[in-house]
Amino acid sequence: GAGVSQSPSNKVTEKGKDVELRCDPISGHTALYWYRQSLGQGLEFLIYFQGNSAPDKSGLPSDRFSAERTGGSVSTLTIQRTQQEDSAVYLCASSPVVTDEQYFGPGTRLTVT
Amino acid sequence: SQKIEQNSEALNIQEGKTATLTCNYTNYSPAYLQWYRQDPGRGPVFLLLIRENEKEKRKERLKVTFDTTLKQSLFHITASQPADSATYLCALDRGGYNKLIFGAGTRLAVHP
């Protein structure tokens, strides 16, 4: 079956613009995670969804970052008034509620100029 | 807070040898620890999970050990192949809902 998909694969935006990143998890996976990976760095946890609710938003770097999930499926990560330090690869992962391994998408490479 | 240390220097080995990668953590012992493989431009791919009450876990040419006294996990690839060349990430749970903390990864290069 299909894996986790993310769109767009690449996004170049000007500083100050808003961007939306999309994640389509594996069908039936109730847990969904967003991470950020900067060059040469480990993955940084941003937010977690269980169904449509986000019990943990502690990783969001600032109030410019927000995320939502609808229908227990697709999730959107929105970054408002983008800054150059937001440039990174944004990765989405999903997992079935009862298992521990996470399935990652290919990521969205965001470049803020 | 929990910190994960993986060797930031690339590991270069000859084909056929065993590669050993190290993951050290500094604080509480996690309920479980995971290893992922990441190729350039791709998302991480799950390889193995080992729980705190397990000493060792194997899958084909892969072996993971977990020493909660040393606060260390070792990841071994036996009979390594050039196709094993990638970055390997160690990840620890933070409890509860599978919120993972990732190390920066170690890049492995297997030379023919």
Side-chain angles (χ1 to χ4, degrees):
Chain A
V4 177
S5 61
Q6 292 186 246
S7 61
S9 55
N10 279 286
K11 176 71 177 179
V12 180
T13 190
E14 292 181 353
K15 177 182 173 181
K17 300 282 190 183
D18 297 352
V19 295
E20 280 191 357
L21 312 180
R22 177 187 168 108
C23 172
D24 279 273
I26 293 173
S27 178
H29 282 194
T30 59
L32 186 148
Y33 307 82
W34 282 98
Y35 296 88
R36 178 168 74 173
Q37 187 174 32
S38 301
L39 189 63
Q41 303 295 312
L43 277 70
E44 174 190 8
F45 169 84
L46 297 178
I47 189 170
Y48 151 79
F49 286 93
Q50 179 62 42
N52 291 335
S53 64
D56 188 348
K57 304 178 183 179
S58 63
L60 295 177
S62 74
D63 58 9
R64 295 185 297 104
F65 288 71
S66 63
E68 65 175 14
R69 189 180 184 193
T70 55
S73 181
V74 172
S75 176
T76 303
L77 178 68
T78 302
I79 309 173
Q80 295 178 310
R81 305 181 302 282
T82 52
Q83 304 292 314
Q84 288 188 328
E85 60 263 29
D86 299 334
S87 297
V89 175
Y90 289 82
L91 289 158
C92 172
S94 70
S95 67
V97 66
V98 295
T99 66
D100 299 319
E101 61 189 85
Q102 295 186 12
Y103 298 81
F104 283 82
T108 293
R109 180 175 297 279
L110 175 66
T111 303
V112 182
T113 61
Chain B
S1 62
Q2 184 75 284
K3 287 187 179 179
I4 302 173
E5 296 169 355
Q6 292 188 258
N7 195 336
S8 59
E9 293 182 9
L11 177 63
N12 291 282
I13 65 167
Q14 208 67 30
E15 182 176 7
K17 301 291 186 183
T18 296
T20 299
L21 287 72
T22 304
C23 173
N24 295 297
Y25 56 94
T26 60
N27 208 338
Y28 61 86
S29 280
Y32 55 85
L33 185 151
Q34 303 185 24
W35 283 89
Y36 288 78
R37 167 183 173 143
Q38 187 172 25
D39 290 283
R42 304 215 165 193
V45 175
F46 172 81
L47 296 175
L48 279 170
L49 179 153
I50 187 165
R51 300 189 185 278
E52 60 180 338
N53 61 348
E54 298 175 315
K55 295 292 185 187
E56 182 179 295
K57 185 74 78 73
R58 290 176 186 261
K59 179 182 176 183
E60 297 173 352
R61 294 184 296 110
L62 309 180
K63 184 179 84 171
V64 172
T65 63
F66 193 4
D67 189 325
T68 55
T69 301
L70 294 178
K71 296 189 176 181
Q72 180 181 82
S73 174
L74 298 178
F75 177 80
H76 307 271
I77 306 175
T78 58
S80 60
Q81 305 165 1
D84 296 326
S85 299
T87 296
Y88 291 86
L89 306 174
C90 166
L92 311 182
D93 83 295
R94 287 180 61 171
Y97 46 77
N98 199 22
K99 177 176 169 180
L100 296 177
I101 307 171
F102 281 83
T106 298
R107 188 164 59 86
L108 171 67
V110 181
H111 302 283

mmCIF file of all heavy atoms in Angstrom, chain A residues 33 35 37 40-43 45 48 56 58 91 95 99-107 109, chain B residues 32 34 36 38 41-46 49 51 89 94 97-105:
data_model
loop_
_atom_site.group_PDB
_atom_site.id
_atom_site.type_symbol
_atom_site.label_atom_id
_atom_site.label_comp_id
_atom_site.label_asym_id
_atom_site.label_seq_id
_atom_site.Cartn_x
_atom_site.Cartn_y
_atom_site.Cartn_z
ATOM 1 N N TYR A 33 2.948 12.591 13.391
ATOM 2 C CA TYR A 33 4.004 13.403 14.001
ATOM 3 C C TYR A 33 4.626 14.321 12.949
ATOM 4 O O TYR A 33 4.785 13.937 11.800
ATOM 5 C CB TYR A 33 5.127 12.499 14.542
ATOM 6 C CG TYR A 33 4.666 11.406 15.468
ATOM 7 C CD1 TYR A 33 4.159 10.213 14.955
ATOM 8 C CD2 TYR A 33 4.742 11.549 16.846
ATOM 9 C CE1 TYR A 33 3.737 9.199 15.793
ATOM 10 C CE2 TYR A 33 4.334 10.534 17.692
ATOM 11 C CZ TYR A 33 3.820 9.364 17.161
ATOM 12 O OH TYR A 33 3.406 8.364 18.002
ATOM 13 N N TYR A 35 8.196 16.562 12.374
ATOM 14 C CA TYR A 35 9.564 16.822 12.811
ATOM 15 C C TYR A 35 10.196 17.828 11.869
ATOM 16 O O TYR A 35 9.752 18.017 10.740
ATOM 17 C CB TYR A 35 10.414 15.541 12.762
ATOM 18 C CG TYR A 35 9.996 14.434 13.698
ATOM 19 C CD1 TYR A 35 9.051 13.490 13.311
ATOM 20 C CD2 TYR A 35 10.576 14.314 14.959
ATOM 21 C CE1 TYR A 35 8.681 12.462 14.159
ATOM 22 C CE2 TYR A 35 10.211 13.282 15.820
ATOM 23 C CZ TYR A 35 9.271 12.366 15.402
ATOM 24 O OH TYR A 35 8.907 11.345 16.251
ATOM 25 N N GLN A 37 14.154 18.859 10.406
ATOM 26 C CA GLN A 37 15.553 18.429 10.338
ATOM 27 C C GLN A 37 16.360 19.502 9.613
ATOM 28 O O GLN A 37 16.174 19.729 8.413
ATOM 29 C CB GLN A 37 15.682 17.084 9.617
ATOM 30 C CG GLN A 37 17.088 16.506 9.659
ATOM 31 C CD GLN A 37 17.151 15.097 9.071
ATOM 32 O OE1 GLN A 37 16.422 14.752 8.157
ATOM 33 N NE2 GLN A 37 18.014 14.259 9.624
ATOM 34 N N GLY A 40 22.575 18.590 8.800
ATOM 35 C CA GLY A 40 23.530 18.000 9.727
ATOM 36 C C GLY A 40 23.023 17.814 11.138
ATOM 37 O O GLY A 40 23.791 17.438 12.027
ATOM 38 N N GLN A 41 21.751 18.067 11.347
ATOM 39 C CA GLN A 41 21.184 17.959 12.689
ATOM 40 C C GLN A 41 20.262 16.756 12.784
ATOM 41 O O GLN A 41 19.817 16.192 11.778
ATOM 42 C CB GLN A 41 20.397 19.223 13.038
ATOM 43 C CG GLN A 41 21.204 20.492 12.955
ATOM 44 C CD GLN A 41 22.319 20.523 13.977
ATOM 45 O OE1 GLN A 41 22.114 20.240 15.152
ATOM 46 N NE2 GLN A 41 23.518 20.852 13.536
ATOM 47 N N GLY A 42 19.947 16.385 14.007
ATOM 48 C CA GLY A 42 18.967 15.336 14.237
ATOM 49 C C GLY A 42 17.570 15.855 14.018
ATOM 50 O O GLY A 42 17.354 17.049 13.792
ATOM 51 N N LEU A 43 16.616 14.980 14.083
ATOM 52 C CA LEU A 43 15.220 15.374 13.919
ATOM 53 C C LEU A 43 14.733 16.055 15.186
ATOM 54 O O LEU A 43 14.925 15.561 16.289
ATOM 55 C CB LEU A 43 14.351 14.146 13.631
ATOM 56 C CG LEU A 43 14.296 13.683 12.196
ATOM 57 C CD1 LEU A 43 15.607 13.084 11.757
ATOM 58 C CD2 LEU A 43 13.164 12.687 12.007
ATOM 59 N N PHE A 45 11.449 17.238 17.216
ATOM 60 C CA PHE A 45 10.020 17.013 17.332
ATOM 61 C C PHE A 45 9.278 18.346 17.350
ATOM 62 O O PHE A 45 9.676 19.277 18.043
ATOM 63 C CB PHE A 45 9.726 16.234 18.613
ATOM 64 C CG PHE A 45 8.276 16.169 18.975
ATOM 65 C CD1 PHE A 45 7.457 15.210 18.399
ATOM 66 C CD2 PHE A 45 7.732 17.054 19.889
ATOM 67 C CE1 PHE A 45 6.114 15.138 18.738
ATOM 68 C CE2 PHE A 45 6.398 16.995 20.235
ATOM 69 C CZ PHE A 45 5.582 16.043 19.660
ATOM 70 N N TYR A 48 2.519 16.401 17.800
ATOM 71 C CA TYR A 48 1.983 15.052 17.680
ATOM 72 C C TYR A 48 0.456 15.115 17.673
ATOM 73 O O TYR A 48 -0.147 15.891 18.413
ATOM 74 C CB TYR A 48 2.488 14.231 18.870
ATOM 75 C CG TYR A 48 1.601 13.111 19.322
ATOM 76 C CD1 TYR A 48 1.575 11.908 18.637
ATOM 77 C CD2 TYR A 48 0.801 13.248 20.464
ATOM 78 C CE1 TYR A 48 0.777 10.868 19.064
ATOM 79 C CE2 TYR A 48 -0.001 12.206 20.885
ATOM 80 C CZ TYR A 48 -0.012 11.016 20.182
ATOM 81 O OH TYR A 48 -0.803 9.981 20.603
ATOM 82 N N ASP A 56 0.212 17.226 22.405
ATOM 83 C CA ASP A 56 1.526 17.773 22.701
ATOM 84 C C ASP A 56 1.966 18.704 21.575
ATOM 85 O O ASP A 56 2.298 18.255 20.485
ATOM 86 C CB ASP A 56 2.550 16.651 22.888
ATOM 87 C CG ASP A 56 3.894 17.160 23.391
ATOM 88 O OD1 ASP A 56 4.125 18.394 23.377
ATOM 89 O OD2 ASP A 56 4.721 16.336 23.792
ATOM 90 N N SER A 58 4.372 20.987 22.349
ATOM 91 C CA SER A 58 5.502 21.609 23.029
ATOM 92 C C SER A 58 6.696 21.870 22.129
ATOM 93 O O SER A 58 7.539 22.710 22.438
ATOM 94 C CB SER A 58 5.950 20.736 24.203
ATOM 95 O OG SER A 58 6.411 19.478 23.737
ATOM 96 N N LEU A 91 9.578 16.863 8.157
ATOM 97 C CA LEU A 91 9.227 15.456 7.979
ATOM 98 C C LEU A 91 7.959 15.136 8.755
ATOM 99 O O LEU A 91 7.761 15.595 9.875
ATOM 100 C CB LEU A 91 10.361 14.565 8.479
ATOM 101 C CG LEU A 91 11.625 14.558 7.618
ATOM 102 C CD1 LEU A 91 12.825 14.119 8.442
ATOM 103 C CD2 LEU A 91 11.462 13.628 6.428
ATOM 104 N N SER A 95 1.983 6.398 12.673
ATOM 105 C CA SER A 95 2.117 5.063 13.237
ATOM 106 C C SER A 95 0.747 4.562 13.668
ATOM 107 O O SER A 95 -0.119 5.337 14.066
ATOM 108 C CB SER A 95 3.089 5.057 14.423
ATOM 109 O OG SER A 95 2.585 5.784 15.507
ATOM 110 N N THR A 99 1.453 0.048 17.744
ATOM 111 C CA THR A 99 2.852 -0.329 17.504
ATOM 112 C C THR A 99 3.746 0.880 17.695
ATOM 113 O O THR A 99 3.286 2.005 17.805
ATOM 114 C CB THR A 99 3.079 -0.912 16.115
ATOM 115 O OG1 THR A 99 2.837 0.114 15.142
ATOM 116 C CG2 THR A 99 2.152 -2.070 15.853
ATOM 117 N N ASP A 100 5.011 0.646 17.731
ATOM 118 C CA ASP A 100 5.944 1.700 18.098
ATOM 119 C C ASP A 100 6.751 2.293 16.954
ATOM 120 O O ASP A 100 7.297 3.357 17.092
ATOM 121 C CB ASP A 100 6.919 1.163 19.139
ATOM 122 C CG ASP A 100 6.210 0.711 20.392
ATOM 123 O OD1 ASP A 100 5.286 1.412 20.824
ATOM 124 O OD2 ASP A 100 6.580 -0.344 20.921
ATOM 125 N N GLU A 101 6.844 1.585 15.853
ATOM 126 C CA GLU A 101 7.668 2.125 14.793
ATOM 127 C C GLU A 101 6.922 3.226 14.049
ATOM 128 O O GLU A 101 5.693 3.193 13.923
ATOM 129 C CB GLU A 101 8.087 1.037 13.818
ATOM 130 C CG GLU A 101 6.949 0.335 13.116
ATOM 131 C CD GLU A 101 7.440 -0.863 12.341
ATOM 132 O OE1 GLU A 101 7.568 -1.947 12.924
ATOM 133 O OE2 GLU A 101 7.698 -0.697 11.131
ATOM 134 N N GLN A 102 7.660 4.218 13.602
ATOM 135 C CA GLN A 102 7.074 5.323 12.864
ATOM 136 C C GLN A 102 7.458 5.211 11.399
ATOM 137 O O GLN A 102 8.585 4.859 11.065
ATOM 138 C CB GLN A 102 7.548 6.657 13.450
ATOM 139 C CG GLN A 102 7.047 6.875 14.876
ATOM 140 C CD GLN A 102 7.384 8.241 15.430
ATOM 141 O OE1 GLN A 102 7.805 9.142 14.711
ATOM 142 N NE2 GLN A 102 7.195 8.407 16.733
ATOM 143 N N TYR A 103 6.506 5.540 10.537
ATOM 144 C CA TYR A 103 6.714 5.508 9.101
ATOM 145 C C TYR A 103 6.802 6.953 8.624
ATOM 146 O O TYR A 103 5.866 7.735 8.803
ATOM 147 C CB TYR A 103 5.555 4.792 8.407
ATOM 148 C CG TYR A 103 5.409 3.342 8.816
ATOM 149 C CD1 TYR A 103 4.769 2.985 9.995
ATOM 150 C CD2 TYR A 103 5.923 2.323 8.021
ATOM 151 C CE1 TYR A 103 4.643 1.663 10.377
ATOM 152 C CE2 TYR A 103 5.798 0.988 8.384
ATOM 153 C CZ TYR A 103 5.154 0.672 9.572
ATOM 154 O OH TYR A 103 5.038 -0.640 9.946
ATOM 155 N N PHE A 104 7.928 7.276 8.017
ATOM 156 C CA PHE A 104 8.185 8.655 7.614
ATOM 157 C C PHE A 104 7.872 8.896 6.145
ATOM 158 O O PHE A 104 8.041 8.014 5.302
ATOM 159 C CB PHE A 104 9.659 9.011 7.852
ATOM 160 C CG PHE A 104 9.987 9.289 9.288
ATOM 161 C CD1 PHE A 104 10.239 8.258 10.167
ATOM 162 C CD2 PHE A 104 10.043 10.597 9.753
ATOM 163 C CE1 PHE A 104 10.537 8.514 11.500
ATOM 164 C CE2 PHE A 104 10.350 10.872 11.079
ATOM 165 C CZ PHE A 104 10.595 9.826 11.949
ATOM 166 N N GLY A 105 7.457 10.119 5.873
ATOM 167 C CA GLY A 105 7.337 10.571 4.501
ATOM 168 C C GLY A 105 8.681 11.059 3.995
ATOM 169 O O GLY A 105 9.662 11.092 4.749
ATOM 170 N N PRO A 106 8.746 11.485 2.739
ATOM 171 C CA PRO A 106 10.016 11.922 2.146
ATOM 172 C C PRO A 106 10.435 13.316 2.579
ATOM 173 O O PRO A 106 11.578 13.713 2.372
ATOM 174 C CB PRO A 106 9.731 11.885 0.647
ATOM 175 C CG PRO A 106 8.261 12.118 0.550
ATOM 176 C CD PRO A 106 7.659 11.456 1.754
ATOM 177 N N GLY A 107 9.514 14.059 3.194
ATOM 178 C CA GLY A 107 9.856 15.391 3.667
ATOM 179 C C GLY A 107 9.559 16.489 2.666
ATOM 180 O O GLY A 107 9.420 16.250 1.464
ATOM 181 N N ARG A 109 11.322 20.103 1.681
ATOM 182 C CA ARG A 109 12.483 20.983 1.889
ATOM 183 C C ARG A 109 12.023 22.415 1.735
ATOM 184 O O ARG A 109 11.600 22.825 0.649
ATOM 185 C CB ARG A 109 13.597 20.672 0.887
ATOM 186 C CG ARG A 109 14.829 21.564 1.069
ATOM 187 C CD ARG A 109 15.955 21.146 0.141
ATOM 188 N NE ARG A 109 16.416 19.802 0.439
ATOM 189 C CZ ARG A 109 17.266 19.491 1.408
ATOM 190 N NH1 ARG A 109 17.765 20.446 2.186
ATOM 191 N NH2 ARG A 109 17.644 18.247 1.596
ATOM 192 N N TYR B 32 12.147 2.178 25.552
ATOM 193 C CA TYR B 32 12.655 1.477 24.383
ATOM 194 C C TYR B 32 13.494 2.427 23.554
ATOM 195 O O TYR B 32 13.469 3.645 23.735
ATOM 196 C CB TYR B 32 11.533 0.872 23.532
ATOM 197 C CG TYR B 32 10.479 1.846 23.080
ATOM 198 C CD1 TYR B 32 10.671 2.610 21.926
ATOM 199 C CD2 TYR B 32 9.296 1.993 23.788
ATOM 200 C CE1 TYR B 32 9.711 3.501 21.512
ATOM 201 C CE2 TYR B 32 8.331 2.888 23.379
ATOM 202 C CZ TYR B 32 8.547 3.635 22.231
ATOM 203 O OH TYR B 32 7.598 4.517 21.817
ATOM 204 N N GLN B 34 15.043 2.948 19.407
ATOM 205 C CA GLN B 34 14.857 2.544 18.013
ATOM 206 C C GLN B 34 16.049 2.979 17.172
ATOM 207 O O GLN B 34 16.708 3.973 17.474
ATOM 208 C CB GLN B 34 13.591 3.191 17.441
ATOM 209 C CG GLN B 34 12.316 2.875 18.205
ATOM 210 C CD GLN B 34 11.087 3.436 17.541
ATOM 211 O OE1 GLN B 34 11.058 3.676 16.343
ATOM 212 N NE2 GLN B 34 10.026 3.646 18.319
ATOM 213 N N TYR B 36 16.995 3.842 13.083
ATOM 214 C CA TYR B 36 16.463 4.150 11.753
ATOM 215 C C TYR B 36 17.622 4.342 10.790
ATOM 216 O O TYR B 36 18.715 4.751 11.182
ATOM 217 C CB TYR B 36 15.638 5.436 11.771
ATOM 218 C CG TYR B 36 14.302 5.331 12.450
ATOM 219 C CD1 TYR B 36 14.196 5.335 13.840
ATOM 220 C CD2 TYR B 36 13.137 5.225 11.709
ATOM 221 C CE1 TYR B 36 12.967 5.238 14.466
ATOM 222 C CE2 TYR B 36 11.897 5.133 12.322
ATOM 223 C CZ TYR B 36 11.819 5.147 13.701
ATOM 224 O OH TYR B 36 10.593 5.055 14.300
ATOM 225 N N GLN B 38 18.633 6.485 7.266
ATOM 226 C CA GLN B 38 18.209 7.597 6.426
ATOM 227 C C GLN B 38 19.167 7.752 5.261
ATOM 228 O O GLN B 38 20.380 7.911 5.447
ATOM 229 C CB GLN B 38 18.123 8.906 7.216
ATOM 230 C CG GLN B 38 17.516 10.042 6.404
ATOM 231 C CD GLN B 38 17.252 11.287 7.236
ATOM 232 O OE1 GLN B 38 17.888 11.523 8.251
ATOM 233 N NE2 GLN B 38 16.284 12.099 6.797
ATOM 234 N N GLY B 41 18.144 12.810 1.086
ATOM 235 C CA GLY B 41 16.911 13.272 0.453
ATOM 236 C C GLY B 41 15.685 12.439 0.771
ATOM 237 O O GLY B 41 14.637 12.617 0.146
ATOM 238 N N ARG B 42 15.806 11.551 1.736
ATOM 239 C CA ARG B 42 14.681 10.679 2.077
ATOM 240 C C ARG B 42 14.371 10.741 3.571
ATOM 241 O O ARG B 42 15.194 11.167 4.365
ATOM 242 C CB ARG B 42 15.001 9.240 1.705
ATOM 243 C CG ARG B 42 15.368 9.065 0.239
ATOM 244 C CD ARG B 42 14.880 7.779 -0.277
ATOM 245 N NE ARG B 42 14.901 7.705 -1.716
ATOM 246 C CZ ARG B 42 14.291 6.763 -2.380
ATOM 247 N NH1 ARG B 42 13.604 5.842 -1.739
ATOM 248 N NH2 ARG B 42 14.341 6.742 -3.683
ATOM 249 N N GLY B 43 13.165 10.306 3.920
ATOM 250 C CA GLY B 43 12.822 10.207 5.324
ATOM 251 C C GLY B 43 13.441 8.971 5.953
ATOM 252 O O GLY B 43 13.804 8.020 5.247
ATOM 253 N N PRO B 44 13.589 8.958 7.275
ATOM 254 C CA PRO B 44 14.143 7.797 7.963
ATOM 255 C C PRO B 44 13.265 6.557 7.762
ATOM 256 O O PRO B 44 12.048 6.665 7.613
ATOM 257 C CB PRO B 44 14.146 8.223 9.430
ATOM 258 C CG PRO B 44 14.118 9.714 9.403
ATOM 259 C CD PRO B 44 13.305 10.067 8.196
ATOM 260 N N VAL B 45 13.919 5.401 7.775
ATOM 261 C CA VAL B 45 13.226 4.122 7.660
ATOM 262 C C VAL B 45 13.521 3.303 8.905
ATOM 263 O O VAL B 45 14.692 3.122 9.277
ATOM 264 C CB VAL B 45 13.674 3.355 6.395
ATOM 265 C CG1 VAL B 45 13.040 1.970 6.366
ATOM 266 C CG2 VAL B 45 13.306 4.140 5.142
ATOM 267 N N PHE B 46 12.484 2.807 9.548
ATOM 268 C CA PHE B 46 12.628 2.033 10.773
ATOM 269 C C PHE B 46 13.385 0.731 10.516
ATOM 270 O O PHE B 46 13.139 0.031 9.525
ATOM 271 C CB PHE B 46 11.242 1.718 11.338
ATOM 272 C CG PHE B 46 11.267 0.761 12.499
ATOM 273 C CD1 PHE B 46 11.571 1.203 13.770
ATOM 274 C CD2 PHE B 46 10.982 -0.590 12.306
ATOM 275 C CE1 PHE B 46 11.593 0.324 14.839
ATOM 276 C CE2 PHE B 46 11.001 -1.472 13.363
ATOM 277 C CZ PHE B 46 11.303 -1.017 14.627
ATOM 278 N N LEU B 49 13.718 -2.100 16.954
ATOM 279 C CA LEU B 49 13.328 -1.548 18.249
ATOM 280 C C LEU B 49 13.772 -2.520 19.322
ATOM 281 O O LEU B 49 13.609 -3.738 19.174
ATOM 282 C CB LEU B 49 11.816 -1.349 18.298
ATOM 283 C CG LEU B 49 11.197 -0.800 19.577
ATOM 284 C CD1 LEU B 49 9.904 -0.063 19.251
ATOM 285 C CD2 LEU B 49 10.917 -1.904 20.600
ATOM 286 N N ARG B 51 13.612 -3.058 23.656
ATOM 287 C CA ARG B 51 12.997 -2.569 24.883
ATOM 288 C C ARG B 51 13.988 -2.638 26.037
ATOM 289 O O ARG B 51 14.973 -3.372 25.987
ATOM 290 C CB ARG B 51 11.738 -3.370 25.183
ATOM 291 C CG ARG B 51 10.721 -3.253 24.069
ATOM 292 C CD ARG B 51 9.367 -3.862 24.407
ATOM 293 N NE ARG B 51 8.504 -3.810 23.231
ATOM 294 C CZ ARG B 51 7.807 -2.733 22.872
ATOM 295 N NH1 ARG B 51 7.879 -1.638 23.592
ATOM 296 N NH2 ARG B 51 7.047 -2.768 21.796
ATOM 297 N N LEU B 89 20.298 6.581 12.485
ATOM 298 C CA LEU B 89 19.799 7.421 13.571
ATOM 299 C C LEU B 89 19.341 6.564 14.737
ATOM 300 O O LEU B 89 18.653 5.549 14.545
ATOM 301 C CB LEU B 89 18.604 8.254 13.087
ATOM 302 C CG LEU B 89 18.792 9.113 11.841
ATOM 303 C CD1 LEU B 89 17.462 9.739 11.430
ATOM 304 C CD2 LEU B 89 19.813 10.191 12.086
ATOM 305 N N ARG B 94 10.187 9.180 24.791
ATOM 306 C CA ARG B 94 10.068 10.055 25.959
ATOM 307 C C ARG B 94 8.893 9.635 26.816
ATOM 308 O O ARG B 94 8.415 10.362 27.644
ATOM 309 C CB ARG B 94 9.906 11.507 25.513
ATOM 310 C CG ARG B 94 11.177 12.099 24.979
ATOM 311 C CD ARG B 94 11.009 13.513 24.545
ATOM 312 N NE ARG B 94 10.590 14.368 25.653
ATOM 313 C CZ ARG B 94 10.528 15.681 25.587
ATOM 314 N NH1 ARG B 94 10.845 16.291 24.466
ATOM 315 N NH2 ARG B 94 10.120 16.392 26.599
ATOM 316 N N TYR B 97 3.316 8.423 24.472
ATOM 317 C CA TYR B 97 2.767 8.313 23.130
ATOM 318 C C TYR B 97 3.811 8.199 22.030
ATOM 319 O O TYR B 97 3.599 8.681 20.941
ATOM 320 C CB TYR B 97 1.852 9.501 22.860
ATOM 321 C CG TYR B 97 2.461 10.798 23.284
ATOM 322 C CD1 TYR B 97 3.450 11.408 22.508
ATOM 323 C CD2 TYR B 97 2.088 11.401 24.460
ATOM 324 C CE1 TYR B 97 4.036 12.578 22.898
ATOM 325 C CE2 TYR B 97 2.668 12.588 24.859
ATOM 326 C CZ TYR B 97 3.641 13.171 24.075
ATOM 327 O OH TYR B 97 4.214 14.335 24.478
ATOM 328 N N ASN B 98 4.925 7.575 22.324
ATOM 329 C CA ASN B 98 5.912 7.330 21.271
ATOM 330 C C ASN B 98 6.520 8.617 20.726
ATOM 331 O O ASN B 98 6.827 8.717 19.555
ATOM 332 C CB ASN B 98 5.290 6.525 20.119
ATOM 333 C CG ASN B 98 6.338 5.856 19.252
ATOM 334 O OD1 ASN B 98 7.455 5.645 19.679
ATOM 335 N ND2 ASN B 98 5.973 5.537 18.026
ATOM 336 N N LYS B 99 6.688 9.611 21.568
ATOM 337 C CA LYS B 99 7.369 10.828 21.175
ATOM 338 C C LYS B 99 8.862 10.537 21.247
ATOM 339 O O LYS B 99 9.389 10.240 22.304
ATOM 340 C CB LYS B 99 6.993 11.947 22.132
ATOM 341 C CG LYS B 99 7.688 13.270 21.885
ATOM 342 C CD LYS B 99 7.121 14.295 22.865
ATOM 343 C CE LYS B 99 7.932 15.557 22.885
ATOM 344 N NZ LYS B 99 7.355 16.535 23.837
ATOM 345 N N LEU B 100 9.506 10.618 20.115
ATOM 346 C CA LEU B 100 10.895 10.196 20.012
ATOM 347 C C LEU B 100 11.855 11.375 20.037
ATOM 348 O O LEU B 100 11.572 12.437 19.482
ATOM 349 C CB LEU B 100 11.114 9.410 18.716
ATOM 350 C CG LEU B 100 10.370 8.081 18.586
ATOM 351 C CD1 LEU B 100 10.629 7.472 17.219
ATOM 352 C CD2 LEU B 100 10.774 7.119 19.683
ATOM 353 N N ILE B 101 12.995 11.163 20.682
ATOM 354 C CA ILE B 101 14.118 12.098 20.602
ATOM 355 C C ILE B 101 15.161 11.416 19.736
ATOM 356 O O ILE B 101 15.557 10.283 20.010
ATOM 357 C CB ILE B 101 14.729 12.369 21.979
ATOM 358 C CG1 ILE B 101 13.662 12.797 22.971
ATOM 359 C CG2 ILE B 101 15.806 13.440 21.885
ATOM 360 C CD1 ILE B 101 14.190 12.872 24.390
ATOM 361 N N PHE B 102 15.616 12.107 18.695
ATOM 362 C CA PHE B 102 16.569 11.530 17.749
ATOM 363 C C PHE B 102 17.972 12.068 17.985
ATOM 364 O O PHE B 102 18.158 13.249 18.310
ATOM 365 C CB PHE B 102 16.168 11.865 16.312
ATOM 366 C CG PHE B 102 15.057 11.019 15.768
ATOM 367 C CD1 PHE B 102 13.742 11.313 16.031
ATOM 368 C CD2 PHE B 102 15.345 9.906 14.984
ATOM 369 C CE1 PHE B 102 12.720 10.536 15.530
ATOM 370 C CE2 PHE B 102 14.331 9.120 14.475
ATOM 371 C CZ PHE B 102 13.014 9.436 14.749
ATOM 372 N N GLY B 103 18.947 11.201 17.785
ATOM 373 C CA GLY B 103 20.321 11.640 17.705
ATOM 374 C C GLY B 103 20.582 12.246 16.329
ATOM 375 O O GLY B 103 19.747 12.128 15.427
ATOM 376 N N ALA B 104 21.732 12.874 16.178
ATOM 377 C CA ALA B 104 22.074 13.524 14.903
ATOM 378 C C ALA B 104 22.467 12.501 13.837
ATOM 379 O O ALA B 104 22.500 12.838 12.648
ATOM 380 C CB ALA B 104 23.188 14.530 15.109
ATOM 381 N N GLY B 105 22.740 11.275 14.249
ATOM 382 C CA GLY B 105 23.053 10.235 13.283
ATOM 383 C C GLY B 105 24.532 10.063 13.029
ATOM 384 O O GLY B 105 25.325 10.989 13.234
#
